Amino acid sequence: MVEGEHPQDGSPRSPAPFDSTDASANGVLIVEDDDELRALVKLVLEESGYGVIAAQNGQDALRLLGEREQRDGAKEPDLILLDMRMPVMNGWEFARRYRENGHHAPIVVLTAAVHAAQFADEIKADGWLSKPFSLNELLDAVKSHLSHSPR
């Protein structure tokens, strides 16, 4: 069987859903405006067994979370990977509005800025990754901020 194929018939398996029947696992939210990086991070996390939802800016992320909550009564994500410099709504504004709504998921800042730690501090994030980062650094950061293993 080729990795990524369904075990019974060899057809491509669908990616791990953001919503899960496992109440302790609500997935990782990626908020990143770089299409290629967002797609790569999503793919790597899904192939590692994590449920993932992705948004291209803070406004889209808040909208997706709100729709998901209204539709499914879904809990907040287990972790947010957040770019800081994005059009429409940047990471600072997203974090402020997200926290104002009473949410407390851990946030890991993704930034190419020299002041990554400072940016993380400004929004009271739980960690940061400087771009460019390796896939191992990404997976290590995700694992260290989650209280459960991938599904």
Side-chain angles (χ1 to χ4, degrees):
M1 174 172 61
V2 175
E3 184 178 43
E5 288 183 344
H6 192 274
Q8 280 79 23
D9 63 7
S11 64
R13 76 178 162 201
S14 52
F18 184 66
D19 297 320
S20 171
T21 54
D22 176 357
S24 69
N26 289 300
V28 178
L29 169 62
I30 304 163
V31 188
E32 168 64 57
D33 65 324
D34 181 305
D35 294 337
E36 290 178 11
L37 180 58
R38 186 177 62 249
L40 176 63
V41 170
K42 185 175 188 292
L43 178 67
V44 167
L45 293 179
E46 286 175 344
E47 287 187 353
S48 296
Y50 295 101
V52 178
I53 189 171
Q56 64 183 4
N57 60 60
Q59 182 177 317
D60 285 347
L62 290 174
R63 180 185 51 77
L64 288 170
L65 291 174
E67 288 173 357
R68 184 174 171 264
E69 188 173 355
Q70 286 182 340
R71 182 186 66 238
D72 305 328
K75 297 178 183 176
E76 63 186 323
D78 295 313
L79 177 65
I80 299 170
L81 300 176
L82 180 64
D83 186 18
M84 296 304 290
R85 294 182 175 157
M86 299 174 286
V88 184
M89 182 186 293
N90 65 35
W92 289 274
E93 183 67 11
F94 168 84
R96 183 184 67 76
R97 290 188 187 186
Y98 180 76
R99 300 284 190 225
E100 281 178 353
N101 289 331
H103 299 295
H104 304 287
I107 296 175
V108 173
V109 168
L110 306 177
T111 185
V114 176
H115 307 292
Q118 178 186 335
F119 289 176
D121 217 28
E122 289 172 359
I123 66 164
K124 297 179 178 40
D126 299 83
W128 52 272
L129 274 175
S130 290
K131 297 177 192 174
F133 48 81
S134 73
L135 298 181
N136 285 335
E137 289 171 323
L138 170 68
L139 291 171
D140 288 346
V142 169
K143 287 176 193 171
S144 72
H145 289 92
L146 293 178
S147 59
H148 65 275
S149 299
R151 310 183 265 301

